[in-house]
Amino acid sequence: MGLENLIKAAYKESVDRTRRGDKLEEIESIQDYITSSKRIIVPNWNQAKVNVINEVLNEFKLSEAEHLKFHTNSADLSRMPAITKAQMALDLYDCDLVIARGRLGVPGSGSLMVILDSKGRILTGTTSPSHVVHNKDLKDAVRDEITICLERIGFKK
């Protein structure tokens, strides 16, 4: 079942008050979408982050991501910088998936990594505390975040 049909079915269940949480078939549809995605982009200026994301995608046997370099600074003025960054990338580039990482909200709120489909719908995501709280180096933080994003929707290495 495509994502559109899943969304319609879940909406109908909600309206009918019969929805009882996520279903395995919904998670499998998200996995199928991600697995079949050929063009994945990561918008930022940091090649090291893209390299780590690609290492993890490879561990999960997923397509490699392309580095989309563009100025994302203005996303930091929004209320949801990571999501804004992903949406900006979708407006600039034709792709199946966007993996974006940025500040969660206000400065000091930590980071958010999200994976969006080609229509800007969030498929998965995760948050991390501020660097000054977790003290991980950037590569370890990105590695942990992309791994959690994929594992939370059932992917296994």
Side-chain angles (χ1 to χ4, degrees), residues 99-150:
I99 301 172
R101 180 181 189 266
R103 203 175 61 226
L104 173 63
V106 300
S109 61
S111 70
L112 171 67
M113 180 178 280
V114 290
I115 300 178
L116 277 61
D117 73 1
S118 61
K119 292 186 175 182
R121 300 177 293 207
I122 296 172
L123 302 177
T124 184
T126 191
T127 60
S128 290
S130 173
H131 169 73
V132 294
V133 173
H134 65 57
N135 289 315
K136 295 177 186 174
D137 72 28
L138 179 64
K139 290 180 181 177
D140 289 340
V142 171
R143 172 175 295 283
D144 290 349
E145 291 170 9
I146 186 67
T147 300
I148 291 169
C149 280
L150 295 170

Side-chain angles (χ1 to χ4, degrees), residues 8 10 13 21 27 32-33 66 68 70 74 92 101 134:
K8 289 176 192 170
E13 290 173 1
I27 294 169
D32 289 346
Y33 184 90
E66 300 172 37
L68 177 61
F70 74 97
S74 64
L92 294 171
R101 180 181 189 266
H134 65 57

Side-chain angles (χ1 to χ4, degrees), residues 3-140:
L3 294 177
E4 288 78 13
N5 290 332
L6 284 177
I7 293 166
K8 289 176 192 170
Y11 169 73
K12 182 169 181 352
E13 290 173 1
S14 292
V15 169
D16 295 341
R17 298 181 182 210
T18 58
R19 181 120 180 113
R20 301 290 179 263
D22 292 342
K23 298 174 183 167
L24 181 58
E25 67 197 49
E26 295 167 342
I27 294 169
E28 289 171 344
S29 286
I30 294 171
Q31 290 175 351
D32 289 346
Y33 184 90
I34 291 174
T35 301
S36 66
S37 294
K38 300 298 179 214
R39 188 164 235 182
I40 303 170
I41 61 167
V42 178
N44 68 34
W45 278 103
N46 189 328
Q47 183 66 50
K49 292 179 188 176
V50 179
N51 292 344
V52 171
I53 287 170
N54 276 328
E55 288 172 15
V56 174
L57 292 174
N58 186 46
E59 292 170 7
F60 284 89
K61 306 201 180 331
L62 297 170
S63 296
E64 187 171 293
E66 300 172 37
H67 190 186
L68 177 61
K69 294 178 186 174
F70 74 97
H71 292 286
T72 59
N73 309 42
S74 64
D76 287 343
L77 289 174
S78 72
R79 295 179 180 211
M80 299 176 287
I83 292 172
T84 300
K85 187 185 295 186
Q87 292 170 330
M88 291 166 64
L90 283 171
D91 288 341
L92 294 171
Y93 202 76
D94 188 27
C95 62
D96 301 311
L97 281 181
V98 175
I99 301 172
R101 180 181 189 266
R103 203 175 61 226
L104 173 63
V106 300
S109 61
S111 70
L112 171 67
M113 180 178 280
V114 290
I115 300 178
L116 277 61
D117 73 1
S118 61
K119 292 186 175 182
R121 300 177 293 207
I122 296 172
L123 302 177
T124 184
T126 191
T127 60
S128 290
S130 173
H131 169 73
V132 294
V133 173
H134 65 57
N135 289 315
K136 295 177 186 174
D137 72 28
L138 179 64
K139 290 180 181 177
D140 289 340

